[in-house]
Amino acid sequence: MNRFDRVTAILIQLQAKRKVSGAALAEQFGVSLRTIYRDLRTLAEAGVPLLGEPGIGYSLAEGYRLPPVMFTRGEATALLTAEKLAGRLTDAPTAQLSSAAMDKVRAVLRRPDRDHLDRLAPHIQVLGPRQAGQPPAYQQLVAAIAMHHVVSLRYQTAENQAPTTRDIEPISLFLTRHWHVVAYCRLRQTIRNFRLDRILGLELRAESFVVRPDLQQQHWAAEASRRPRERVVLRFQPAALLPALVQHLHDTKHQYGWAYEQHLPDGQLEMTLFIGELPYLATWLLPYAGALTIVEPRALSAPLRALAQRAHDFFCQPE
């Protein structure tokens, strides 16, 4: 990055954040702290009203704004990808907001860059099943987290018991195979994860809660200690599998703790994973029967045998 681009990028950072430290800017742009201070002096000499001092941080005087900086083609393409992800992986209100924001991005692009996005858009797809009928929980939970509002949930647990109604203090959202909200559950009086697709009803209450900054860290530390990951080594014979199964193997392996893999001289694919629950892994591996060897741990054979026996008992009943 040349100096002009770096100074412009520093100005964007100052407009985007309440306060920015010189050390953070130096790390972001890969230059020395002295270089950052020189760039800040350049902005000040150009009339930009900077507040702050070395060692504390810098900000812009309240009310100072420049017109939006033009997006580069690469930045616009990244935002197009984000729009596609939001359209598939979040709820309908968030997808609509993302689409509206992308229209504003297109409006300020140069015509060649706008045409570039139009040509590229059909070739970027986020595949996978989208669950229909899901309540618009994501956007409501984002608002609750931002405003620290208590949320009343009607929730269906995985055990298929009767739905429960509970008040939660939402802390954060994360995505694995499903969206989850991490929250303090007043019913259980502890931190819990709630899957959004199991929320049957949701209401933001007017009541605000006091943020508990240490709870989430304690929760993840407890989860890590409760669920130690086990090393699993598997060998697959791709030649013995249908191409669709081989593709499925690679499309889904990251959901099951994939770490690395190597091709062996005999044509086998050796894959190493780290997983917390062997029965969970067994459900993924069953379709690869006949082309799978378990190198370690041998205990993985037990849940695989149990699943295979259940399938046999169900599908091979005498007529």
Side-chain angles (χ1 to χ4, degrees):
M1 180 180 289
N2 60 45
R3 186 167 185 243
F4 176 81
D5 290 340
R6 187 177 64 248
V7 171
T8 302
I10 290 172
L11 180 56
I12 292 172
Q13 290 293 305
L14 289 166
Q15 291 188 103
K17 300 178 180 179
R18 179 171 295 183
K19 182 170 288 188
V20 183
S21 71
L25 291 171
E27 181 178 357
Q28 178 178 348
F29 296 108
V31 296
S32 68
L33 193 57
R34 176 180 294 182
T35 298
I36 292 297
Y37 289 152
R38 185 171 67 245
D39 293 341
L40 291 169
R41 283 196 300 271
T42 298
L43 287 172
E45 291 167 0
V48 176
L50 285 176
L51 303 175
E53 57 183 292
I56 297 177
Y58 295 87
S59 62
L60 294 177
E62 185 65 31
Y64 178 82
R65 286 293 182 270
L66 288 179
V69 178
M70 184 67 70
F71 292 100
T72 67
R73 180 172 291 190
E75 290 168 343
T77 301
L79 292 172
L80 173 65
T81 303
E83 179 192 20
K84 297 281 187 176
L85 290 167
R88 175 61 64 174
L89 300 179
T90 62
D91 60 357
T94 305
Q96 292 169 1
L97 290 169
S98 177
S99 180
M102 196 62 200
D103 287 342
K104 294 178 182 178
V105 171
R106 288 185 175 93
V108 300
L109 290 176
R110 296 170 299 177
R111 183 174 296 276
D113 292 337
R114 195 160 59 242
D115 293 342
H116 170 76
L117 286 192
D118 291 341
R119 290 192 301 269
L120 184 61
H123 302 285
I124 299 177
Q125 300 294 332
V126 180
L127 304 178
R130 183 171 186 170
Q131 298 174 358
Q134 184 173 323
Y138 178 86
Q139 195 59 229
Q140 290 176 279
L141 287 168
V142 168
I145 291 169
M147 298 184 295
H148 306 146
H149 277 193
V150 175
V151 172
S152 180
L153 290 185
R154 186 166 175 266
Y155 190 73
Q156 178 67 63
T157 64
E159 293 77 17
N160 294 320
Q161 299 172 349
T164 60
T165 300
R166 61 186 79 193
D167 290 343
I168 65 168
E169 301 173 9
I171 298 171
S172 65
L173 291 156
F174 70 91
L175 174 65
T176 54
R177 297 181 67 189
H178 303 275
W179 277 103
H180 299 250
V181 58
V182 179
Y184 179 80
C185 177
R186 292 184 172 180
L187 178 65
R188 307 301 182 195
Q189 296 188 350
T190 186
I191 292 285
R192 289 289 177 89
N193 296 338
F194 300 94
R195 271 176 47 172
L196 268 60
D197 60 324
R198 293 181 181 154
I199 296 176
L200 304 179
L202 180 149
E203 179 185 357
L204 267 67
R205 295 176 48 187
E207 179 187 356
S208 298
F209 63 86
V210 178
V211 179
R212 308 167 189 254
D214 298 330
L215 278 183
Q216 189 174 8
Q217 183 176 354
Q218 294 171 2
H219 168 70
W220 290 120
E223 285 290 300
S225 62
R226 188 170 68 88
R227 297 182 179 179
R229 298 196 304 167
E230 187 166 1
R231 184 172 183 264
V232 176
V233 181
L234 307 168
R235 288 180 182 171
F236 298 89
Q237 298 175 12
L241 294 169
L242 293 172
L245 266 179
V246 176
Q247 184 62 50
H248 180 73
L249 175 70
H250 291 291
D251 288 345
T252 56
K253 62 189 179 185
H254 295 280
Q255 301 173 14
Y256 296 90
W258 179 89
Y260 54 88
E261 62 190 46
Q262 60 177 333
H263 291 275
L264 302 180
D266 61 1
Q268 292 191 89
L269 174 66
E270 185 176 276
M271 191 176 291
T272 300
L273 309 97
F274 290 89
I275 191 75
E277 298 180 2
L278 295 182
Y280 176 68
L281 183 62
T283 60
W284 177 58
L285 295 176
L286 191 60
Y288 303 101
L292 169 67
T293 301
I294 300 171
V295 179
E296 60 174 281
R298 301 308 304 172
L300 179 57
S301 299
L304 272 170
R305 283 196 301 268
L307 282 174
Q309 187 64 54
R310 286 177 58 188
H312 175 272
D313 294 345
F314 182 82
F315 291 108
C316 300
Q317 296 177 8
E319 297 183 357

